[in-house]
Amino acid sequence: MTDAAASAARTAPAAPERPKLVLTALILGALVCNINLAAANIALPDIGDAFGAGQTSLNLVAVGCSLGLAMSVLYLGAVADRYGRKQLLVLGLGLTVIISFFAAFAASVEMLIVARIVTGIAAGMAYPVTLSLITALWGPGKQRTLAIALWSAVSATATVIGSVLAGIVLLWFWWGSAFLLAVPFALGGFVLVWLFVPSHVAENKEKVDHLGGIISVFMIGSIVLGLSTVFVPETATFGLILLIAAVVLIALFAWRQLTASSPLYDLAVARRRMFWAPATGGLIVFGSLMGAMFVGQQFQQNILGYSTLDASLSIVPAGIGLLAVAPQSAKLVISRGSRFTMMLGFGFVLVGFITMLFWNETTPFWYVSIAYLVIGIGAGFAMTPASRAITESTPVRRVGMASATADLQRDLGGSIMQGVLGAILAAGFAHVFGKLISESSEASSISDQVTAALQASYASALHVADQYPQYKDQIIQAAQQSLETGAIAAYAVGAIAIALGGAVVWFFLPKKSRELELVASYEKADAEKP
């Protein structure tokens, strides 16, 4: 960074002109992306019924949007830093409107999966830019921290908003209506961004590492798809091949970033303790929130018999918890530091997952809602310190990298945890159903084709039950037992992941005094760079 650039960064205004309108525009951009991430979860049972889709296909529908976002966010964050953050945000919001209609009127589950991935890519154009612009337009200090806290809370709460709206519209309309929910928000955000958000603020003039960007797309795609398929017997070999490819691509990406003249991802910054530790912790806690909702929605509708509205209303407490603690989270970060605040969040989320382990077919509505409330409170405490620590430890010229990483916490974390928990759910369902079939007195008369259909997913098993009405009650009972066992296994894996994430935060994030010293040293080192 030149002396002039460093001086400009240090003397940046505390807030932009018309700060409320600017922040509203940026939050709307984030809201659009997160509504799209959530809408599919509520519609999954209806989608499974409409297409007779297997559990793996349903997992890919659910994870498609976050997969597209996670795959593209690093590359597009760098493109935005170089060519214009506002411009890419406007383009992403416009593309969201168009592709939402393709998803809503998809003629097959395969077409829907592709549309969901493209929706995620559109979000990759918009979502990272919202945090980048907050960091660039608000100077360091209390106002930026509060803006990030509000952005974090509303972004996460959008998951609940999307679920509730989807639950309402699905009472009267077809499954595709859930994918049109983001359209009015995208149009409103498009107009506000175009009118009020400044262009070309604190952007860099470095070349974009296009080769590194392409490698990152395939690298993240291989990780997520590999984890989504490796636990399911029918796709285990394919998943293993993808994970091996992911290891090779990770090594290739690291080599490229170390040798490129203008790396896409500055590994010197990424190695900073106040960067990688909160990024890792945030990835796990945010991903676990998405994974819990993904598995929970199928459990509630298929085991507890909730309507789409009841299923969506049960997670409203998660949004209440997020919004309620967001201001407190910002205050705790300032007074007690990132480590204390993140550990508090991890503690709440772990309690929520443990609560879910005791769900069964007789679990009352209030108990389900309590679990979501506790998880929402935990995520609310963890989100602000994770995002703030990453942005504070990154130079302003690399703010796109920081915001992309903050987005990856949610989107790569969501993709991985939805993929893993969904795969555990699918594997558990297939295993238990297979065992029940083998123990049945009718086992010898059940064909391999029917067995495969029964083990594919809950929706597929119901289709088989309709074809064999004399065995309908037994099939439905077996499907519910299998789904319940798979869901509990998924919650157990989620609880273990949260415990591991808490250990990372506890051992590697420093206390407040050391945190301030490290951030100051980063700022000094960045100011001295040419």
Side-chain angles (χ1 to χ4, degrees):
M1 183 185 294
T2 63
D3 292 341
S7 176
R10 289 191 297 269
T11 60
E17 294 183 10
R18 297 176 174 173
K20 292 182 179 179
L21 283 172
V22 172
L23 187 58
T24 299
L26 298 178
I27 286 176
L28 265 180
L31 188 74
V32 167
C33 304
N34 285 281
I35 285 177
N36 274 328
L37 288 172
N41 288 343
I42 294 292
L44 282 179
D46 288 347
I47 293 169
D49 183 60
F51 295 118
Q55 189 63 49
T56 300
S57 294
L58 293 178
N59 293 349
L60 292 176
V61 170
V63 81
C65 186
S66 54
L67 169 61
L69 180 49
M71 287 169 58
S72 61
V73 70
L74 287 178
Y75 189 16
L76 295 179
V79 169
D81 277 353
R82 173 63 180 85
Y83 297 109
R85 300 184 186 114
K86 174 180 177 177
Q87 288 71 19
L88 202 65
L89 175 54
V90 168
L91 181 61
L93 292 174
L95 180 58
T96 295
V97 174
I98 296 171
I99 201 62
S100 294
F101 285 92
F102 280 91
F105 295 97
S108 67
V109 71
E110 291 79 13
M111 180 178 174
L112 178 57
I113 291 169
V114 172
R116 291 285 291 166
I117 292 173
V118 178
T119 301
I121 294 172
M125 298 177 183
Y127 193 44
V129 175
T130 57
L131 182 58
S132 295
L133 284 168
I134 287 175
T135 308
L137 293 170
W138 276 263
K142 183 178 180 180
Q143 290 192 54
R144 179 195 284 178
T145 300
L146 290 174
I148 290 174
L150 186 58
W151 174 89
S152 297
V154 175
S155 296
T157 307
T159 303
V160 178
I161 294 172
S163 297
V164 172
L165 291 177
I168 293 172
V169 300
L170 289 174
L171 289 175
W172 294 284
F173 302 103
W174 88 115
W175 58 265
S177 60
F179 300 109
L180 298 176
L181 292 172
V183 170
F185 296 98
L187 290 172
F190 184 98
V191 172
L192 287 177
V193 170
W194 185 278
L195 293 177
F196 300 113
V197 174
S199 297
H200 305 297
V201 179
E203 294 167 358
N204 65 50
K205 300 298 180 182
E206 297 178 358
K207 293 181 179 179
V208 176
D209 178 19
H210 295 290
L211 177 58
I214 293 170
I215 294 172
S216 74
V217 169
F218 286 101
M219 175 184 71
I220 293 173
S222 297
I223 293 171
V224 175
L225 290 177
L227 290 172
S228 298
T229 54
V230 74
F231 296 104
V232 182
E234 291 79 8
T235 57
T237 301
F238 177 66
L240 183 60
I241 292 171
L242 285 176
L243 291 179
I244 293 172
V247 172
V248 174
L249 288 168
I250 288 170
L252 186 60
F253 181 74
W255 169 82
R256 174 64 183 175
Q257 299 316 293
L258 290 171
T259 57
S261 57
S262 298
L264 179 77
Y265 204 75
D266 192 334
L267 295 182
V269 173
R271 284 195 294 266
R272 290 173 173 176
R273 191 173 169 188
M274 289 303 301
F275 189 100
W276 73 263
T280 302
L283 184 146
I284 292 173
V285 76
F286 299 163
S288 297
L289 173 64
M290 297 297 294
M293 290 186 172
F294 166 61
V295 177
Q297 289 303 313
Q298 295 181 71
F299 186 98
Q300 288 157 234
Q301 292 186 54
N302 294 328
I303 302 299
L304 299 179
Y306 288 4
S307 68
T308 55
L309 180 59
D310 288 338
S312 62
L313 289 176
S314 70
I315 65 173
V316 168
I320 294 173
L322 278 162
L323 287 176
V325 305
Q328 302 306 317
S329 177
K331 294 176 182 177
L332 279 175
V333 170
I334 295 170
S335 63
R336 301 293 298 271
S338 299
R339 181 194 189 201
F340 176 88
T341 312
M342 283 196 76
M343 284 304 303
L344 184 62
F346 269 89
F348 274 102
V349 175
L350 181 60
V351 170
F353 267 91
I354 292 173
T355 301
M356 287 178 164
L357 290 174
F358 296 94
W359 284 3
N360 56 50
E361 65 275 7
T362 63
T363 299
F365 185 90
W366 66 266
Y367 190 80
V368 172
S369 298
I370 285 292
Y372 284 124
L373 173 64
V374 174
I375 289 178
I377 290 172
F381 277 122
M383 291 176 73
T384 300
S387 299
R388 178 181 179 269
I390 291 169
T391 55
E392 292 291 313
S393 59
T394 306
V396 68
R397 62 188 175 87
R398 288 286 185 187
V399 70
M401 170 186 165
S403 61
T405 303
D407 297 338
L408 276 175
Q409 291 178 116
R410 180 179 290 104
D411 306 312
L412 179 57
S415 298
I416 289 175
M417 291 303 291
Q418 280 187 223
V420 170
L421 297 188
I424 297 295
L425 174 64
F429 180 87
H431 173 73
V432 175
F433 215 130
K435 184 178 179 182
L436 292 173
I437 291 172
S438 66
E439 294 173 351
S440 170
S441 59
E442 305 290 335
S444 60
S445 64
I446 302 175
S447 68
D448 291 342
Q449 183 179 3
V450 171
T451 298
L454 288 171
Q455 292 180 286
S457 70
Y458 186 88
S460 179
L462 293 188
H463 278 289
V464 176
D466 290 335
Q467 296 169 16
Y468 298 91
Q470 67 272 33
Y471 301 117
K472 186 170 184 177
D473 291 341
Q474 295 96 312
I475 291 174
I476 291 175
Q477 183 179 0
Q480 289 179 334
Q481 182 179 341
S482 301
L483 185 65
E484 182 178 340
T485 302
I488 296 304
Y491 297 142
V493 171
I496 293 170
I498 287 295
L500 292 174
V504 169
V505 171
W506 177 262
F507 287 109
F508 295 103
L509 263 185
K511 294 182 179 180
K512 181 187 175 184
S513 57
R514 178 58 179 157
E515 175 184 349
L516 295 175
E517 293 174 3
L518 285 173
V519 171
S521 69
Y522 300 153
E523 292 178 352
K524 182 178 179 182
D526 294 333
E528 292 173 352
K529 285 184 179 179

